[in-house]
Amino acid sequence: MRKHTAVLSEFDRYVFESIVEKVIAGGYDEDGNKSSVHSGIISDFFVHQMQGFMHSNMIILILKGGKLMDWLSRMNNAMDYIESNLAAEISYDKAAQTACCSTYHFQRMFSFITDVPLSEYIRRRRLTLAAFELQTSDIKVVDVALKYGYESPEAFSRAFKNLHGIMPVSARDIGVALKAFPRMTFSISIKGDTEMNYRIEQREAFEVFGVYTEVSTDQEKAFDQVPLFFKRCDEDGTTDTINNLLGRFHDNYTISALYDYSETTFKYMLCNYLPKGLSIPSRFTTLSVLSSTWAVFDMPMCEMQSMWKRIWAEWFPTSEFEAIEGIQFEMYYGLAKHKNGFGEIWIPVKKK
């Protein structure tokens, strides 16, 4: 990733911050009058003064009227809702409504951006607060357990020990070490700019066939598990069998389907398109893909892992679309022996 740096004068910094403040305020100055800032002036300022300093998200913020700031505000409002209900029932639907998106989109976006599932984040926050209360008050362990949603002191004690490494009754011991997971907030990150090529495409229903494995929603674990799955499919002949059934060269790339997401796992299928009338062995699973609108992202070097994170952290927050529940694809094209692979990520979407 390219890194851009520039040294701004105090005047330049003042002008830039003033522009951003006016955009964030919705185009009004401090006296409540409509701002006269024009996109042409902003463009001139960036060309002559910034010299490549800003990340594309900040440019999007200015030229698209603050969409990124709106998204940040909505996400932080959702975090406010979660934080204020840690000692009560938390509705994922309500959190998603606060963020102005579907529950499915909110959970997927949260996990990709933060590298932790929403349920795990809530669990860590509750156990952090429980530890604080046990340390600083005379509250009983059973009362803390009930307060933070555990059905029994035993279940709470197991969870507490898994996180903190000690039993709840030991939390008041002098010098004991506990873990604290702070509240998350969402903010702008200024960093190097890398373009993202995408298109929106409508596609009719189709079918795929292949074999699948269960993969962890923990991204670090998934990034280890998927290559091992590919290796196993190559070694047991699955990849060659799929290519043979389709009359393709053995070293043709296949595609991958991602579906059936839960809080902890999802299914990852090595597969390919199923032509009508083709008979396939019973060892293969068939998936029917509904007619959908797709956001398609180019990945020339097939570096899917980094692109997934960029899609959720950079593209969705400033786009006019959100993900819908359905099968997602990693498309691989080319011949392995030529090392000319080209990839795409396909995500079913709808207009916000």
Side-chain angles (χ1 to χ4, degrees):
M1 180 177 289
R2 301 191 304 275
K3 294 183 179 180
H4 301 295
T5 59
V7 178
L8 302 181
S9 69
E10 288 301 315
F11 175 74
D12 289 340
R13 189 176 298 279
Y14 168 76
V15 174
F16 168 71
E17 290 176 351
S18 297
I19 291 172
V20 173
E21 286 174 1
K22 287 178 181 178
V23 173
I24 293 172
Y28 292 86
D29 61 23
E30 60 272 12
D31 297 321
N33 300 315
K34 190 70 177 178
S35 170
S36 61
V37 174
H38 186 272
S39 61
I41 298 174
I42 297 173
S43 298
D44 288 343
F45 177 78
F46 272 97
V47 170
H48 296 297
Q49 302 293 335
M50 298 304 288
Q51 300 175 350
F53 176 74
M54 295 306 301
H55 181 256
S56 59
N57 275 353
M58 187 61 79
I59 297 174
I60 290 171
L61 162 64
I62 293 176
L63 299 182
K64 291 191 175 181
K67 287 183 180 178
L68 182 58
M69 291 306 301
D70 290 341
W71 176 82
L72 289 172
S73 177
R74 293 194 301 268
M75 289 298 289
N76 283 321
N77 288 341
M79 300 311 292
D80 288 342
Y81 164 75
I82 291 172
E83 194 69 18
S84 63
N85 287 279
L86 289 173
E89 183 178 352
I90 294 176
S91 166
Y92 287 8
D93 292 339
K94 180 65 179 294
Q97 289 171 9
T98 305
C100 298
C101 62
S102 69
T103 304
Y104 173 81
H105 184 90
F106 180 73
Q107 288 183 258
R108 295 296 313 285
M109 181 165 54
F110 184 93
S111 64
F112 265 103
I113 293 174
T114 65
D115 290 326
V116 60
L118 180 59
S119 61
E120 178 62 15
Y121 168 73
I122 293 172
R123 186 185 75 88
R124 291 176 183 179
R125 285 294 297 141
R126 282 173 166 163
L127 290 172
T128 293
L129 296 185
F132 287 159
E133 289 198 36
L134 288 170
Q135 277 191 316
T136 59
S137 71
D138 295 328
I139 190 170
K140 296 179 180 179
V141 171
V142 62
D143 293 332
V144 176
L146 293 174
K147 179 177 181 178
Y148 289 104
Y150 289 86
E151 297 180 353
S152 68
E154 292 77 18
F156 172 70
S157 295
R158 285 194 300 271
F160 193 94
K161 185 175 182 180
N162 286 338
L163 185 73
H164 296 287
I166 61 170
M167 297 297 287
V169 293
S170 302
R172 296 189 177 100
D173 293 348
I174 296 175
V176 69
L178 295 168
K179 294 180 180 178
F181 290 89
R183 169 185 172 161
M184 284 186 182
T185 57
F186 293 85
S187 60
I188 293 174
S189 175
I190 301 174
K191 54 187 177 181
D193 172 35
T194 303
E195 68 181 14
M196 185 184 301
N197 296 320
Y198 75 95
R199 68 185 186 273
I200 302 298
E201 185 170 313
Q202 184 70 35
R203 187 156 189 174
E204 296 303 315
F206 60 94
E207 289 187 320
V208 298
F209 73 101
V211 296
Y212 69 87
T213 187
E214 296 278 346
V215 173
S216 173
T217 52
D218 182 315
Q219 294 177 53
E220 295 302 319
K221 293 179 180 178
F223 292 162
D224 291 332
Q225 292 170 344
V226 169
L228 291 175
F229 173 59
F230 281 155
K231 181 180 179 182
R232 187 166 68 249
C233 289
D234 285 340
E235 292 176 346
D236 67 14
T238 297
T239 305
D240 287 344
T241 300
I242 290 175
N243 282 323
N244 285 337
L245 288 167
L246 297 173
R248 290 153 42 103
F249 293 113
H250 285 191
D251 57 351
N252 262 283
Y253 286 110
T254 56
I255 63 178
S256 301
L258 297 74
Y259 61 105
D260 281 1
Y261 280 85
S262 70
E263 278 292 311
T264 57
T265 64
F266 65 95
K267 291 177 181 177
Y268 190 94
M269 175 184 283
L270 183 144
C271 58
N272 218 313
Y273 300 108
L274 177 61
K276 290 183 178 179
L278 179 65
S279 178
I280 59 173
S282 59
R283 60 178 288 215
F284 292 111
T285 298
T286 301
L287 292 179
S288 296
V289 184
L290 301 177
S291 174
S292 301
T293 299
W294 300 84
V296 184
F297 301 86
D298 293 350
M299 195 66 255
M301 302 304 293
C302 293
E303 295 181 1
M304 298 297 185
Q305 298 173 1
S306 60
M307 180 55 78
W308 276 112
K309 291 185 70 69
R310 291 192 64 209
I311 290 169
W312 288 96
E314 299 175 29
W315 190 80
F316 273 122
T318 55
S319 78
E320 297 291 341
F321 296 89
E322 70 173 50
I324 61 173
E325 190 166 359
I327 303 170
Q328 301 173 346
F329 288 96
E330 294 176 352
M331 304 290 194
Y332 299 93
Y333 310 105
L335 296 174
K337 69 180 179 182
H338 293 161
K339 298 182 179 180
N340 62 344
F342 181 89
E344 292 178 337
I345 289 176
W346 287 58
I347 303 175
V349 295
K350 68 177 181 180
K351 281 255 188 177
K352 291 179 180 176

